[in-house]
């Protein structure tokens, strides 16, 4: 019975997670000013075309990684690393012992 209650609690946690899309589109918020929710799912699109309209419609928020110069797209793996680090900087407790 305890396992069932644990599973139910985990499902509730996942259902409460917000979906955050990362894409450079009009109306997106710069990541540097965005407060990531503690529970979130991050969506990344392909370099160049970005996320599909369906994925953007599913998102609770759309955030972009500020970029300077002529390039306005970065590799999805690099974008994921940058976004996960931003989440860690806001939410993780780091022990350097």
């Amino acid at each position: 019975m305890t396992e069932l209650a644990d599973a139910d609690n985990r499902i509730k946690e996942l259902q409460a997670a917000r979906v955050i899309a990362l894409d450079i589109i009009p109306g997106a918020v710069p990541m540097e000013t965005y407060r990531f929710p503690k529970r979130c799912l991050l969506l990344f699109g392909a370099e160049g075309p970005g996320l599909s309209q369906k994925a953007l419609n599913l998102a609770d928020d759309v955030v972009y990684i500020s970029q300077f110069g002529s390039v306005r797209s970065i590799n999805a793996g690099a974008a994921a690393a940058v976004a996960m680090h931003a989440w860690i900087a806001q939410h993780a407790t780091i022990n350097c012992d």
Side-chain angles (χ1 to χ4, degrees):
M1 207 54 158
T2 302
E3 288 179 19
L4 185 57
D6 290 343
D8 282 343
N9 287 335
R10 183 71 178 133
I11 289 169
K12 287 177 187 171
E13 275 184 21
L14 292 172
Q15 288 173 331
R18 294 180 57 84
V19 176
I20 312 304
L22 278 93
D23 204 347
I24 299 178
I25 61 168
V29 176
M31 186 174 65
E32 296 79 10
T33 64
Y34 184 73
R35 180 75 181 157
F36 283 93
K38 184 145 183 142
R39 296 280 182 210
C40 61
L41 303 168
L42 302 175
L43 293 179
F44 301 92
E47 183 179 357
L51 289 163
S52 69
Q53 189 59 51
K54 184 173 183 176
L56 291 169
N57 292 343
L58 291 171
D60 293 301
D61 295 315
V62 182
V63 176
Y64 70 90
I65 299 170
S66 295
Q67 299 169 53
F68 301 94
S70 62
V71 176
R72 295 282 183 232
S73 178
I74 61 175
N75 169 287
V82 170
M84 287 186 285
H85 179 73
W87 184 93
I88 287 168
Q90 292 177 12
H91 294 290
T93 302
I94 299 173
N95 297 320
C96 296
D97 295 334

